[in-house]
Amino acid sequence: MKAWKCIIAVGTGGLLLGASGALAQINVSDIRALKQKYINEELGCSGISGIVSKHVNTPVGQGWGGYSPTEWYLAADLTRAAGCGNNSGESRLQAALDYAEGRAIENWWEREIGVPWALAEGLLRGGGSVRSDLRARLERALRNFIGMQSLGEHNGANTVWRGWARLLAAFYFEDTALAQSAVDLMATATSQGSYAHIQYDWSYFFHYDVLNMHYGGQHFGDFARYLQFTENTPFALDARVNPDDAQRRTGLELHLLWFKNFVRWIYYQGYGDPYTVSKFPHKQG
């Protein structure tokens, strides 16, 4: 329900234009303002002591695998905890980096989205509170993971998630070019297509090219959150045309149309709505 509220709130808002009617440019002060907003709203300290205690008592490498880069997530959590005043996990943070840095991550989603998103959040909250040598290693890792992102995919849930990870990294490094590239990704994330993601009839396909409202729901919600979070800032999409859209509509316009048609797609060509089942569609008998 929160996603619907985000869309309704943004849909009734205004456009952010410069004095000449051009889109406002992103500058460092814009990044700093939105960065602080994200820290305040998304990176609280509730329950952090329990997380630190759990991680400190977790054997190094436990659960690690090419599809489960646990030590990177642990490092992100302990960095975030330092920003909440709890630095008791610093030695475990170092051990996590020692273990993870020399090991490959086989899952592309973890390399391009999951791990960099987590590291960016950890650094945003606690980067200034960890030892300088550890901070430098975390920063290097974040830059490397962001540099691995494949940017040829211009729509769908993965594009939204790459955009979020990229945006948070831009916040931390206060990098205007990186921030602009994140906004460019978001601008195309609601493009319609004939293979995957948002279809021309507004249904949502994913995994094996069949109806998949599980990913559709996640895409919708995380994109709606971006629209609301960036409203009335140079990062907003209410005046930014989607360059991949033949009708030259904005990201906001397309999302509002998707919102209008979203709930119609609960059963399609023999497939029941897997939104509440799993990320893989299940053929119905």
Side-chain angles (χ1 to χ4, degrees):
M1 185 59 76
K2 184 178 179 181
W4 314 127
K5 292 179 180 177
C6 289
I7 289 298
I8 292 170
V10 176
T12 56
L15 305 181
L16 180 75
L17 300 176
S20 64
L23 286 168
Q25 297 300 304
I26 296 171
N27 57 45
V28 173
S29 62
D30 297 320
I31 290 176
R32 287 174 178 166
L34 216 55
K35 168 183 178 178
Q36 193 58 53
K37 179 182 177 183
Y38 192 89
I39 293 170
N40 294 342
E41 294 182 2
E42 304 291 337
L43 301 178
C45 296
S46 176
I48 206 71
S49 60
I51 293 172
V52 172
S53 178
K54 176 183 176 182
H55 288 338
V56 166
N57 291 295
T58 298
V60 176
Q62 180 173 293
W64 177 277
Y67 278 64
S68 181
T70 52
E71 293 296 320
W72 283 117
Y73 287 105
L74 187 149
D77 284 348
L78 293 177
T79 303
R80 178 174 174 175
C84 294
N86 189 331
N87 232 327
S88 60
E90 186 171 80
S91 61
R92 184 62 180 87
L93 167 57
Q94 180 172 336
L97 293 176
D98 290 343
Y99 186 91
E101 284 174 335
R103 287 173 168 79
I105 299 175
E106 297 171 24
N107 186 301
W108 74 264
W109 192 95
E110 294 289 3
R111 289 193 306 269
E112 296 189 26
I113 297 170
V115 171
W117 191 329
L119 289 176
E121 289 195 330
L123 284 164
L124 280 168
R125 181 76 216 192
S129 301
V130 296
R131 230 170 51 214
S132 60
D133 60 314
L134 298 179
R135 179 170 63 252
R137 292 169 70 180
L138 290 159
E139 290 175 351
R140 183 169 60 249
L142 177 57
R143 286 194 184 279
N144 287 341
F145 284 121
I146 289 296
M148 293 178 189
Q149 286 187 330
S150 51
L151 305 180
E153 186 178 26
H154 287 180
N155 61 1
N158 291 322
T159 299
V160 174
W161 296 330
R162 284 190 187 98
W164 268 113
R166 207 169 183 82
L167 182 68
L168 298 181
F171 285 172
Y172 178 72
F173 293 118
E174 297 186 352
D175 185 326
T176 56
L178 191 58
Q180 184 60 60
S181 69
V183 176
D184 290 344
L185 274 181
M186 290 296 193
T188 67
T190 48
S191 301
Q192 293 169 284
S194 57
Y195 172 66
H197 316 312
I198 305 172
Q199 302 296 292
Y200 290 112
D201 60 7
W202 303 106
S203 60
Y204 197 90
F205 280 38
F206 209 91
H207 279 169
Y208 311 120
D209 194 22
V210 292
L211 184 70
N212 192 328
M213 295 301 281
H214 173 88
Y215 270 105
Q218 293 186 7
H219 179 168
F220 189 94
D222 286 333
F223 191 79
R225 187 161 68 97
Y226 176 86
L227 291 175
Q228 185 179 50
F229 182 72
T230 60
E231 185 181 15
N232 294 324
T233 76
F235 300 82
L237 301 181
D238 47 8
R240 193 178 298 274
V241 169
N242 178 344
D244 291 346
D245 182 61
Q247 298 181 46
R248 306 292 292 168
R249 292 169 293 189
T250 68
L252 177 60
E253 286 180 284
L254 285 164
H255 211 59
L256 288 170
L257 286 168
W258 187 19
F259 165 65
K260 180 179 179 181
N261 290 278
F262 190 88
V263 294
R264 294 170 50 212
W265 295 103
I266 57 173
Y267 197 77
Y268 189 73
Q269 294 185 354
Y271 286 84
D273 178 6
Y275 179 65
T276 57
V277 180
S278 78
K279 63 182 181 180
F280 294 98
H282 292 261
K283 187 73 177 282
Q284 305 299 303

